Amino acid sequence: MLGGISIWQLLIVLGIIILVFGTKKLRNVGTDLGGAVKGFKKAMHDEEKDKENEKDDAGQPHAKVSHDEPGNTYDVKAEEKQPADGRTTDVRNEERK
C-alpha cells in the first residue's frame, strides 16, 4: 500500500483526527482548501490569458500621455541670515577661532 500503511491504519488515524478537531472544523478546512485551489487555478488561467493578450498587443503602438498643465515651481534664492545690528559675520571664521 502506501509505504507499508494499511487502510485500517489510515481509518484509525482519520478517526482520531475527527475526534480531536471535530467535523465542523474539518469541513471549514476543506472549504478553505478548496477555495484556495480554485483561486490558484483561476489565477493561472488569467495569467495565460494576459500572456496571449500581450502577444496580440505587441504589434500595436501604445498611446502616449502628455502633461500640458503648467507646473507650480517656486524660484527661491538662499540668502545668508544677517544679525539685527546690520554687520555681516562669517560663521566659518568664528568656528575656527
Side-chain angles (χ1 to χ4, degrees):
M1 288 259 179
L2 300 171
I5 299 175
S6 70
I7 189 74
W8 293 108
Q9 291 171 335
L10 288 174
L11 289 174
I12 291 172
V13 170
L14 180 65
I16 292 171
I17 290 174
I18 290 173
L19 286 174
V20 170
F21 293 108
T23 56
K24 184 176 181 181
K25 189 172 274 194
L26 288 176
R27 188 177 330 126
N28 290 341
V29 168
T31 304
D32 292 343
L33 183 63
V37 169
K38 188 176 182 180
F40 179 75
K41 285 182 180 180
K42 184 177 183 242
M44 293 299 292
H45 179 69
D46 290 345
E47 184 176 318
E48 290 173 4
K49 188 186 290 185
D50 289 342
K51 285 182 181 179
E52 289 174 5
N53 289 341
E54 286 177 6
K55 289 178 184 177
D56 294 341
D57 293 340
Q60 299 176 358
H62 295 282
K64 294 185 179 181
V65 178
S66 64
H67 188 68
D68 294 334
E69 287 184 21
N72 294 332
T73 58
Y74 300 98
D75 190 17
V76 179
K77 182 179 177 184
E79 296 179 0
E80 186 175 332
K81 188 174 183 179
Q82 296 181 357
D85 61 0
R87 59 187 176 114
T88 60
T89 58
D90 189 7
V91 177
R92 287 175 272 157
N93 286 339
E94 288 182 5
E95 289 177 2
R96 292 181 189 163
K97 292 181 181 178

